[in-house]
Amino acid sequence: MIIAIDGPAGSGKSTIARMLAKHLGFNYLDTGAMYRALTWKAMQKGVALENENALCQLMDQTTLELRCKDASLNVFIDGINVTKEIRLPSITNNVHYISNTHGIRQRMVKLQQRFAVEGNVVAEGRDMGTVVFPQAEKKFFLDAEIEERAQRRYADFKPSTSEISFDAVIKDIEIRDRRDTTRNNSPLVKSSDAIYINTTKLTIEQVFNKILKEIESSVKK
Ligand code: DC
């Protein structure tokens, strides 16, 4: 079974996908982590992020692995654990080059589809329901108002970087939304058969229960 979860930054999809995978005993596929890991390698190697040929060549010489245990995920690139590094602001600010490169997306989609052959999966990203797993048994599109999404990000940041302002977080999310929805390659869009959930006024538990109910009801049918 494949459960596809898409949505913009801060919509809660990573938390929900992880919880679902753990609860159901499914593998967890964090596709954003894959784009982030390749960005990390490209920056380490000094590859120009606008150079499609160089990026594709780099990816062809790369081994990317997601190892899940109890739905906690470790990301390895060429055997190096980059789980922490790929969350750094320098990666978040540059990952859009990689995720808007046609040849890279083609390769990533193949890898992601191969991951799902290994068993049941909860897959999260921007194009899970539309491009990577159009055949997914269940598709969800999580969304929330921008202020709420920024609030969630701000709460994540606050313990470590107290100097970051709420306004800066909103601006950052606006930029990411614009990049995700207007890019040429697989822009973020709700698949017509995905269930839309606005999480603005919902707790994580409420979203989780709503999704679980949908999954359980379709399994019973
Ligand atoms: O979900 P995230 O913030 O970790 O995603 C990192 C970046 O990768 C973000 O710019 C969107 C992009 N992305 C994508 O284009 N397609 C996906 N399936 C997943 C992420």
Side-chain angles (χ1 to χ4, degrees):
M1 183 176 193
I2 297 173
I3 299 168
I5 304 181
D6 290 304
S11 58
K13 61 187 187 315
S14 301
T15 308
I16 291 293
R18 228 177 292 125
M19 286 169 77
L20 275 176
K22 186 168 184 191
H23 181 85
L24 299 168
F26 283 20
N27 288 324
Y28 167 47
L29 176 58
D30 176 354
T31 58
M34 298 170 74
Y35 289 101
R36 286 172 179 271
L38 191 68
T39 306
W40 179 86
K41 180 168 174 181
M43 289 172 72
Q44 287 283 313
K45 299 263 177 209
V47 174
L49 298 177
E50 294 96 337
N51 184 336
E52 173 149 11
N53 283 340
L55 288 175
C56 289
Q57 228 175 46
L58 184 79
M59 177 138 184
D60 290 339
Q61 296 158 359
T62 294
T63 314
L64 207 46
E65 277 175 278
L66 299 183
R67 296 187 201 156
C68 329
K69 204 171 167 235
D70 293 334
S72 81
L73 185 81
N74 277 291
V75 184
F76 290 83
I77 193 156
D78 302 325
I80 305 167
N81 188 339
V82 291
T83 310
K84 286 210 181 92
E85 288 78 357
I86 62 171
R87 304 292 160 194
L88 292 171
S90 59
I91 303 296
T92 303
N93 293 338
N94 285 301
V95 62
H96 66 97
Y97 290 105
I98 305 284
S99 64
N100 195 21
T101 300
H102 180 67
I104 296 295
R105 292 205 79 91
Q106 283 182 321
R107 288 162 171 79
M108 288 290 188
V109 167
K110 278 199 191 128
L111 267 184
Q112 291 157 8
Q113 290 171 337
R114 217 176 300 146
F115 186 93
V117 172
E118 288 166 22
N120 295 321
V121 63
V122 180
E124 79 111 324
R126 306 293 189 284
D127 56 347
M128 297 299 99
T130 49
V131 177
V132 184
F133 301 118
Q135 81 287 16
E137 282 83 355
K138 273 286 169 201
K139 299 180 186 178
F140 298 93
F141 190 94
L142 301 192
D143 201 1
E145 280 158 23
I146 192 159
E147 287 76 14
E148 173 61 24
R149 291 189 284 126
Q151 194 59 57
R152 292 172 190 171
R153 274 290 137 91
Y154 188 56
D156 284 348
F157 283 139
K158 233 181 158 193
S160 52
T161 38
S162 53
E163 65 274 17
I164 196 153
S165 75
F166 182 64
D167 279 356
V169 177
I170 288 223
K171 282 216 176 74
D172 181 56
I173 291 203
E174 273 170 357
I175 292 170
R176 295 185 66 190
D177 281 357
R178 201 160 43 244
R179 283 178 179 150
D180 282 348
T181 55
T182 62
R183 67 169 178 234
N184 302 326
N185 298 300
S186 305
L188 172 66
V189 58
K190 179 189 160 302
S191 174
S192 57
D193 54 351
I195 297 169
Y196 180 89
I197 302 177
N198 186 331
T199 71
T200 306
K201 296 201 165 70
L202 301 178
T203 64
I204 289 288
E205 284 69 29
Q206 286 170 323
V207 180
F208 175 76
N209 289 330
K210 223 174 163 64
I211 291 185
L212 200 58
K213 230 189 225 166
E214 290 287 349
I215 296 168
E216 285 170 352
S217 76
S218 72
V219 168
K220 276 185 206 136
K221 273 180 201 159

